Amino acid sequence: MPEETTLQSKVSSAQEGQSLLDFLSNRFRYQNRENWKDLIHQGKVTLNGSPAAPDHPLRSKDLVAYTVILNEPPVDKNIEILHNEKSFLVAVKPGNLPSHADGNFIKHTFIYILTELLKEQGFKGALNLVHRLDRETSGLMVVSKDRIAHQKLTHQFESGTFSKEYLAIARGVITENQFEIDGSIGQDTQSQVSVRQKVVPNETTYSKKSLTQFEKIRQLPTSTFIRCVPKTGRTNQIRVHLDSIGHSLIGDKLYGRSDDEFLAFIRHVKSGGDPSWSGHIETARQMLHASKLSFDHPETGKKITFEAPLPEDFKKYLESQGERL
């Protein structure tokens, strides 16, 4: 049910001097500049508890608040906590749940729901994501519970010492049993969709070198069940690399689809529609699952490994293709 909620954001030292309108337009892009101006004039936005003009200059630690009627799309809230200790936890994110607030999703997010769950269990600290998964990607996520653990874990993730494996189902028949894609990733400048990326020449400005190793697990009638091991950690890396060879993920609404198809999906979700876009695509979400993670314990330094079981929707798709599980 829609509910009125007040969202707050503190101005950082780097944002000091920006106007209220510039701050909102740059920080929260789910509304365009004109919409933010109208909301400020309507009194929906306050600065330190009081109304303010759009051109009001901000200072560090100012508190900007926005009152909104939330009409969030439905999500899968069934988070499974696999491991929980003093400094961190490991949980399995469902395949229809954003990692963090984005667009229409504010409270219907992994980190918000997990925080509320731990509050019910008596935890009073703050949780922080060590890394993120796409909304439609299921699987393992590591969450820190204190500042020192967060620093140690994020350093491992950013330096590439986290070992990650994914399971995926790609469109079409892939003939190779093992292969790798070593291709830089950059923005697709020919696309209307700003978030769409593609494999580009290594010397392309702002591109990032990327490497993913793949292993075929099973050949299906019209798709291929594969294991993916990203050796770099680029946004949408597996999805972009598979799309570059004509084998985008089953259920992917961006890659392997036209701009018009993806933009139609975005309009559907922003109007409060079901993100599964049921009936318009092969599966309710993209078939990508973060199945295995290995990293050094933030306190003992010992290597630890976690594995997440195959999700039910993966099993259902595989069974529909004649696989016995």
Side-chain angles (χ1 to χ4, degrees), residues 218 220 315 318-325:
R218 202 77 45 81
L220 308 172
K315 292 179 182 179
L318 290 170
E319 288 170 353
S320 76
Q321 301 299 299
E323 290 298 307
R324 293 183 179 180
L325 302 176

Side-chain angles (χ1 to χ4, degrees), residues 35-255:
N35 285 346
W36 277 124
K37 185 182 290 186
D38 290 341
L39 290 166
I40 294 170
H41 287 311
Q42 292 169 23
K44 299 291 186 181
V45 177
T46 61
L47 177 61
N48 300 322
S50 301
D55 60 355
H56 188 101
L58 300 181
R59 296 175 297 178
S60 177
K61 298 184 180 180
D62 276 348
L63 192 63
V64 177
Y66 167 44
T67 301
V68 61
I69 301 294
L70 289 183
N71 186 23
E72 299 187 58
V75 295
D76 185 347
K77 298 182 180 182
N78 294 311
I79 297 169
E80 179 185 2
I81 299 176
L82 290 184
H83 181 84
N84 188 7
E85 58 180 89
K86 181 180 178 182
S87 63
F88 75 98
L89 63 83
V90 179
V92 179
K93 184 183 82 66
N96 178 22
L97 183 65
S99 295
H100 55 89
D102 181 46
N104 278 26
F105 300 94
I106 305 297
K107 293 184 176 181
H108 287 187
T109 65
F110 171 81
I111 192 64
Y112 184 91
I113 295 167
L114 185 64
T115 298
E116 293 301 302
L117 179 62
L118 263 66
K119 281 182 182 178
E120 293 174 3
Q121 298 175 4
F123 180 69
K124 297 180 181 180
L127 300 180
N128 287 286
L129 297 175
V130 172
H131 59 114
R132 301 171 184 178
L133 292 176
D134 290 341
R135 178 176 64 81
E136 293 194 2
T137 300
S138 59
L140 296 167
M141 293 193 69
V142 183
V143 178
S144 62
K145 298 169 72 177
D146 65 47
R147 181 178 57 83
I148 294 175
H150 187 72
Q151 289 175 344
K152 290 182 177 180
L153 290 167
T154 53
H155 174 72
Q156 289 185 61
F157 192 83
E158 291 168 358
S159 63
T161 57
F162 253 75
S163 176
K164 299 169 285 182
E165 288 187 13
Y166 291 75
L167 297 175
I169 304 174
R171 292 170 176 146
V173 174
I174 296 177
T175 56
E176 299 93 338
N177 289 325
Q178 292 185 329
F179 61 100
E180 68 177 33
I181 299 176
D182 185 359
S184 294
I185 293 176
Q187 185 177 8
D188 185 347
T189 56
Q190 296 180 324
S191 172
Q192 306 172 56
V193 180
S194 61
V195 296
R196 191 190 292 274
Q197 300 183 87
K198 68 176 183 178
V199 171
V200 297
N202 287 335
E203 65 275 9
T204 304
T205 304
Y206 302 122
S207 67
K208 295 180 179 180
K209 291 184 178 181
S210 308
L211 173 64
T212 313
Q213 297 173 339
F214 297 92
E215 177 187 359
K216 179 164 34 174
I217 299 172
R218 202 77 45 81
Q219 185 60 64
L220 308 172
T222 58
S223 55
T224 309
F225 187 26
I226 55 177
R227 178 176 291 106
C228 317
V229 181
K231 294 300 183 179
T232 49
R234 311 307 182 197
T235 301
N236 295 348
Q237 178 173 317
I238 293 171
R239 297 167 66 193
V240 175
H241 274 171
L242 286 171
D243 184 56
S244 74
I245 60 170
H247 294 288
S248 55
L249 292 173
I250 289 288
D252 200 325
K253 300 176 180 71
L254 174 58
Y255 296 101

Side-chain angles (χ1 to χ4, degrees), residues 291-305:
S291 58
K292 187 174 181 179
L293 276 179
S294 296
F295 55 93
D296 296 337
H297 192 287
E299 294 174 50
T300 67
K302 181 181 178 181
K303 182 70 71 177
I304 49 178
T305 299

